[in-house]
Amino acid sequence: MTMHDLLLEIGCEEIPARFMAGGLKQLQEKTERLCREYRLDFGEVLTLGTPRRLVLFVKDLAEKQSGKEEKIRGPARQVAFDAEGKPTKAALGFAGKFGLAVEELRLEKTEKGEHLFAVKKIAGEKTAKILKELLPELLKILTFPKNMFWPESKIRFPRPIRWLLCLYGAEVVPFTGGGLIAGDQTKGHRFLAPGSFAVRTPADYFPALEAACVLVDPERRRELIKEEVQSAAAGRGLKAAIDPALLEEVTFLVEKPEIVTCSFPENYLQLPREVLITTMQSHQRYFPLADQHGNISSSFIAVSNNSAAPAATVRSGYEKVLKARLADAQFFYAEDLKTPLENKVEKLKRILFQEGLGTLYEKSGRLIDICRFLSERLHFSPAERKTALRAAYLCKADLATEMVGEFPELQGSMGREYALRSGEEEAVAGAVFEHYLPRFAGDELPRTKPGALVALADKADHLAAFFALGLRPTGSQDPYALRRQCLGLLQILLEHDFSLTFEELLMQVLSLFELDIIEKIGSPAELFGQIKEFAWQRLRYLFQGKGLDHDLIEAVLHTPRDEVSSLWRQVSF
């Protein structure tokens, strides 16, 4: 069968970088599924993209659909044949309907006895025709975290679609999607080659785009950015701190990366390391640089998408924006240091934790009570107990600081910094930071026992609080991060091998809430059962991730025991 390559380019306004990886994965998976549903044989399916385009490239797509057979059920055997086994009018009429002789029909068993079947062979249609139906469907089933909607075309997409290019071999597939008709036209780089031009075949597309200053392959852009950032840093005797998430984001912010080495005034180096890194990475998408000893440098690297602009102008723009952000941070830092961290605790009375559950000050009080119970139950030493209780008292205080108010990503980090600057013990400051761990999948866990205890108390309180209010995850929605908090809680119980049952922990936490809040959902025992069911789903996932036998996991999780560390020993024995 003849094969041709298929090329589809969806050209649009710049799509948010965080949507791109998921969008390209969907484009591949849903294309493969639709091709199978439409009985189209195909080779490798590649998806590529830049901020302005999603690209689908299907190698060796068959020129025609595979044929199929369709069976149509006819009369039952006793109706189709008389007592002598001769075909009746019913059988003859059924066969004639499809231009067949009775002998060409099949007699097969069904749940209602034996029936005659006619087998109708359906020839496959040409792929060029099928694509006019398949590709509009593909556009409609792509989903993104946030979409715009156009009533005229009934399509949802994160940004306006400006052009569609679709070629099957050398043939244009003029399907309609997003209010546009696909053709053979594409566009180059927005600034370096803004004009439209035609593409003759899928094989011509990639060199043509590269000539128009677009590197459409994200892997090539990623490696190019990484290599050039490292090279530019080495040229100054420095090392680049390349965060994988930042590299991924920057890859999908540009079509032709241009490295720009910049700097900021050295007086800002007095700010804490976390403030400098967060400001550069999270807020400005810059790559921080450090010396051979790991000290942050006043130099940094930005990635531009417009090498046509004067380099000095681009560099100056990057530096001015960062300088303004650092000036704000310096002001907030100085203001926060005017009073010790413990003075900020009182301000928590003015910050709502959650409607129906009071303020962060009240939450801090619950954390102290939980830590007092747990430290006694787990036989902490007097020093460990003192550290945990002090950390529980201070752990939310940085949420009342100017710095964290402006830079929420620094919660915990600034708590540790301000605790140390306020004269608190290092163990207390460390526990203040650790109580937020783990913050995301793959993050480190609390290393110290006091830090683990406060983290355990915080996550258990968070989980119980939102379940008590009926604010639970539904499907893919988890606005209060209950899955992450629950998984972190279970990981801490495992990591520190705490001899504590899940029921002891949660029932202690629930006892600290007003009874009328809990009674809206059910009794404390009923609520605990719901939380445990939710938690055991996470525990099942945790055990499966360690490669353990599915049946063994199910058997262990259905035992009455609910001490997580003990369950782990049973399932991994």
Side-chain angles (χ1 to χ4, degrees):
M1 185 181 289
T2 306
M3 306 283 188
H4 298 292
D5 295 336
L6 170 69
L7 171 67
L8 168 66
E9 181 188 63
I10 307 167
C12 47
E13 298 295 334
E14 279 77 357
I15 298 174
R18 67 184 185 278
F19 294 178
M20 288 297 295
L24 293 178
K25 183 180 179 182
Q26 274 190 75
L27 185 59
Q28 177 185 0
E29 292 174 348
K30 292 183 177 181
T31 298
E32 291 175 348
R33 177 170 63 79
L34 284 174
C35 284
R36 293 189 187 99
E37 289 178 3
Y38 280 88
R39 309 190 317 278
L40 294 173
D41 294 332
F42 59 92
E44 187 178 10
V45 176
L46 301 174
T47 53
L48 311 101
T50 73
R52 295 184 75 201
R53 65 199 81 220
L54 295 172
V55 179
L56 170 69
F57 189 81
V58 183
K59 294 182 179 179
D60 299 326
L61 184 63
E63 195 174 38
K64 192 177 181 181
Q65 269 184 318
S66 300
K68 70 173 184 177
E69 290 185 345
E70 183 179 338
K71 291 197 301 183
I72 301 98
R73 187 164 69 176
R77 178 173 186 159
Q78 60 269 28
V79 176
F81 298 97
D82 60 20
E84 297 177 1
K86 294 179 181 180
T88 64
K89 287 184 179 181
L92 293 169
F94 179 68
K97 183 179 178 181
F98 299 100
L100 300 172
V102 174
E103 292 76 16
E104 294 177 281
L105 301 176
R106 295 180 185 176
L107 194 60
E108 295 183 9
K109 289 183 179 179
T110 72
E111 69 280 0
K112 296 183 178 180
E114 287 188 293
H115 279 253
L116 283 178
F117 282 86
V119 178
K120 182 180 178 182
K121 292 186 177 181
I122 302 174
E125 294 198 56
K126 287 189 175 181
T127 297
K129 180 180 178 182
I130 295 296
L131 289 173
K132 292 180 182 179
E133 181 181 343
L134 183 153
L135 294 174
E137 184 178 348
L138 176 62
L139 274 184
K140 288 181 180 179
I141 62 175
L142 291 176
T143 59
F144 296 87
K146 289 184 179 179
N147 289 301
M148 302 172 76
F149 177 65
W150 291 267
E152 306 82 21
S153 61
K154 304 237 181 328
I155 194 168
R156 297 179 184 275
F157 217 69
R159 292 294 182 269
I161 298 174
R162 295 305 187 195
W163 75 89
L164 292 170
L165 178 150
C166 190
L167 297 172
Y168 178 56
E171 181 183 351
V172 173
V173 181
F175 77 92
T176 302
L180 300 169
I181 299 175
D184 63 356
Q185 298 286 310
T186 185
K187 294 184 180 183
H189 191 283
R190 184 182 288 279
F191 306 113
L192 304 176
S196 299
F197 57 92
V199 178
R200 290 171 49 206
T201 70
D204 295 333
Y205 173 77
F206 299 101
L209 266 192
E210 192 154 344
C213 303
V214 176
L215 298 180
V216 73
D217 185 350
E219 286 302 320
R220 280 191 62 195
R221 294 200 306 279
R222 184 181 290 107
E223 287 305 310
L224 181 62
I225 293 168
K226 185 176 179 180
E227 289 172 8
E228 292 197 358
V229 167
Q230 290 173 333
S231 176
R236 293 198 170 197
L238 301 170
K239 291 182 178 180
I242 299 181
D243 178 73
L246 175 61
L247 180 60
E248 174 80 0
E249 184 174 9
V250 172
T251 295
F252 287 112
L253 287 174
V254 298
E255 291 199 311
K256 187 175 185 296
E258 182 75 17
I259 302 303
V260 184
T261 305
C262 313
S263 63
F264 59 84
E266 291 192 359
N267 63 294
Y268 292 121
L269 291 174
Q270 298 173 8
L271 288 168
R273 178 188 180 89
E274 291 84 357
V275 174
L276 293 170
I277 291 176
T278 298
T279 305
M280 284 187 270
Q281 287 189 171
S282 301
H283 293 264
Q284 302 307 136
R285 280 66 176 174
Y286 301 157
F287 292 94
L289 303 181
D291 63 23
Q292 303 305 314
H293 303 289
N295 300 311
I296 296 296
S297 167
S298 59
S299 296
F300 65 93
I301 292 175
V303 181
S304 170
N305 190 41
N306 186 9
S307 58
T313 302
V314 174
R315 181 179 298 106
S316 175
Y318 288 139
E319 291 175 344
K320 284 181 180 178
V321 173
L322 181 60
K323 183 180 176 181
R325 296 292 291 176
L326 291 177
D328 288 343
Q330 189 177 57
F331 172 78
F332 297 139
Y333 187 55
E335 288 296 304
D336 289 337
L337 288 178
K338 288 180 179 178
T339 56
L341 183 63
E342 67 176 340
N343 286 19
K344 312 287 195 302
V345 174
E346 195 70 18
K347 293 183 179 180
L348 297 177
K349 291 180 178 178
R350 300 197 294 269
I351 303 177
L352 183 69
F353 165 53
Q354 176 63 37
E355 188 174 353
L357 292 170
T359 64
L360 283 174
Y361 185 84
E362 291 171 285
K363 178 180 173 69
S364 297
R366 291 197 300 273
L367 297 187
I368 293 170
D369 289 340
I370 297 167
C371 285
R372 184 177 290 111
F373 165 78
L374 291 176
S375 61
E376 293 174 357
R377 172 66 182 76
L378 297 172
H379 309 295
F380 273 32
S381 69
E384 291 171 334
R385 182 171 183 269
K386 180 182 177 183
T387 297
L389 293 178
R390 181 63 175 171
Y393 177 72
L394 295 173
C395 69
K396 299 300 179 185
D398 66 347
L399 297 179
T401 64
E402 299 286 345
M403 183 70 82
V404 174
E406 182 69 17
F407 300 88
E409 308 93 327
L410 291 172
Q411 62 183 12
S413 295
M414 295 314 300
R416 175 176 57 189
E417 172 71 18
Y418 290 146
L420 291 171
R421 294 295 297 266
S422 301
E424 298 289 341
E425 295 178 2
E426 284 191 22
V428 172
V432 167
F433 169 74
E434 288 184 327
H435 99 280
Y436 280 112
L437 303 179
R439 295 159 295 186
F440 47 82
D443 193 20
E444 62 181 325
L445 297 172
R447 296 180 183 179
T448 67
K449 288 175 67 177
L453 199 74
V454 183
L456 203 60
D458 184 42
K459 288 165 174 53
D461 179 84
H462 189 92
L463 195 61
F466 287 97
F467 263 78
L469 292 176
L471 302 174
R472 306 167 195 185
T474 56
S476 61
Q477 300 299 311
D478 187 10
Y480 303 104
L482 297 186
R483 294 187 181 97
R484 176 170 58 80
Q485 294 280 10
C486 183
L487 191 58
L489 182 153
L490 296 170
Q491 288 174 313
I492 292 169
L493 287 172
L494 284 173
E495 178 70 17
H496 287 270
D497 196 18
F498 286 139
S499 298
L500 177 75
T501 69
F502 195 73
E503 184 174 8
E504 283 181 291
L505 172 61
L506 266 297
M507 291 303 286
Q508 174 65 26
V509 174
L510 289 171
S511 71
L512 301 175
F513 294 118
E514 296 290 338
L515 195 58
D516 61 336
I517 295 174
I518 295 175
E519 286 178 342
K520 293 177 182 178
I521 303 298
S523 68
E526 289 173 327
L527 192 56
F528 166 72
Q530 296 166 12
I531 298 172
K532 181 181 176 182
E533 182 182 359
F534 176 79
W536 259 225
Q537 291 174 355
R538 314 276 84 71
L539 191 58
R540 182 177 289 107
Y541 164 79
L542 198 58
F543 286 167
Q544 288 173 349
K546 296 180 182 293
L548 299 174
D549 180 74
H550 171 78
D551 292 336
L552 180 58
I553 292 172
E554 291 303 312
V556 169
L557 292 184
H558 282 85
T559 62
R561 297 183 66 87
D562 72 342
E563 185 179 302
V564 174
S565 58
S566 176
L567 292 173
W568 166 248
R569 284 190 290 273
Q570 283 183 282
V571 81
S572 61
F573 178 71

